[in-house]
Amino acid sequence: MKRILVVGAGFSGAVIARELADAGHTVLVIEASNHVAGHAYTERDERTGIMLHAHGPHIFNTDDEEIWNYVNGFASFRPFINRVKARNLRGIFSFPINLHTINQFFDKSFGPIGARRFIEGLCVSSPAEPRNFEEKALALVGEELYLWFLKGYTQKQWGRSAREIPASVLDRLPMRFDYNDNYYSVHTRASRSTVTPRWFKPS
Ligand SMILES: Cc1cc2nc3c(=O)[nH]c(=O)nc-3n(C[C@H](O)[C@H](O)[C@H](O)COP(=O)(O)OP(=O)(O)OC[C@H]3O[C@@H](n4cnc5c(N)ncnc54)[C@H](O)[C@@H]3O)c2cc1C
């Protein structure tokens, strides 16, 4: 058995340390900040009792049974459907882009087939293999939806230009031609909000 140092107590470090310790190794975890959980850290507001996500809101979601069973060994989760609204200068819209978003944004009353045809008409032709997020988005949703819904949001999340972000990132944002407004496409084992792990006792 080995003595192992794990640097950082975010999800990655914590899971690795737990697994190594369970396998019989002696593990020391060091953490630069004064709490575990890294970017997923939450703390309860003393005045209101509300759980605050210190680095921005986090939702745990998975469609993997093994992962779901694993995390439930450490914490309890509340069911949660993430229904997101996007606000921009044109109004407040359902997000990710769905039939409601399209009809509201373009002031139309399309059904699924009409909306699909309409969006196809807006799409900008791009190389067969889009080289980055921007190229893929323009090819799939057209310029207007890209500029109003995807570009700023994605650049803010990633802290870089959409032209430097891989095209594959767009796969995480579904485009729907129905009224399903669940942010996540997968329903089973998905969209559960996190609560503080029971093994973490704030000092
Ligand atoms: C605003 C925001 C929203 C997000 N929303 C979601 C979401 O809804 N669902 C989701 O699944 N994911 C979400 N994520 C992503 C999620 O936060 C990360 O995937 C996850 O926290 C990464 O865990 P990690 O352990 O790899 O890194 P981190 O959480 O960054 O943890 C790394 C830890 O290592 C420590 N550390 C670093 N260097 C050192 C050092 N030299 N010495 C000691 N300690 C060190 C840090 O202090 C930190 O505690 C979101 C991220 C952000 C920023």
Side-chain angles (χ1 to χ4, degrees):
M1 291 299 146
K2 295 180 176 158
R3 293 171 62 219
I4 298 167
L5 176 69
V6 173
V7 180
F11 267 123
S12 308
V15 169
I16 289 165
R18 177 80 267 156
E19 290 298 291
L20 289 168
D22 285 350
H25 300 290
T26 302
V27 183
L28 175 65
V29 182
I30 59 168
E31 169 53 56
S33 67
N34 62 357
H35 57 75
V36 297
H39 278 99
Y41 174 63
T42 59
E43 59 192 3
R44 200 169 285 283
D45 178 64
E46 278 181 23
R47 195 173 56 84
T48 60
I50 291 171
M51 190 66 89
L52 299 177
H53 293 232
H55 300 282
H58 277 68
I59 300 163
F60 184 86
N61 74 97
T62 179
D63 58 355
D64 187 302
E65 193 73 29
E66 192 180 349
I67 292 173
W68 181 240
N69 291 336
Y70 185 84
V71 295
N72 271 275
F74 302 98
S76 56
F77 290 73
R78 295 191 200 100
F80 184 77
I81 294 180
N82 196 20
R83 298 192 198 281
V84 176
K85 301 285 175 278
R87 189 181 68 172
N88 59 37
L89 293 175
R90 297 265 297 263
I92 296 174
F93 299 91
S94 186
F95 190 81
I97 298 167
N98 59 59
L99 190 52
H100 194 181
T101 322
I102 295 165
N103 280 330
Q104 188 190 354
F105 185 75
F106 293 106
D107 195 19
K108 304 282 186 193
S109 48
F110 289 126
I113 296 170
R116 195 181 286 275
R117 283 204 194 111
F118 176 75
I119 295 297
E120 281 168 6
L122 300 177
C123 292
V124 177
S125 63
S126 80
E129 285 296 320
R131 286 166 297 188
N132 55 53
F133 183 93
E134 180 164 291
E135 281 187 3
K136 187 164 179 178
L138 289 171
L140 286 179
V141 304
E143 196 163 0
E144 230 180 328
L145 288 176
Y146 168 63
L147 291 177
W148 283 93
F149 290 96
L150 302 181
K151 187 177 182 184
Y153 167 80
T154 304
Q155 291 188 159
K156 181 180 164 196
Q157 292 279 350
W158 285 73
R160 63 180 68 175
S161 159
R163 293 196 193 110
E164 297 169 44
I165 298 168
S168 59
V169 168
L170 192 62
D171 299 338
R172 300 180 192 185
L173 284 173
M175 165 93 166
R176 302 199 184 111
F177 295 96
D178 58 23
Y179 287 104
N180 177 8
D181 64 349
N182 186 348
Y183 190 86
Y184 298 106
S185 298
V186 178
H187 294 276
T188 51
R189 303 291 179 228
S191 311
R192 291 160 199 274
S193 61
T194 50
V195 296
T196 303
R198 63 167 181 259
W199 42 265
F200 177 53
K201 302 267 189 301
S203 53

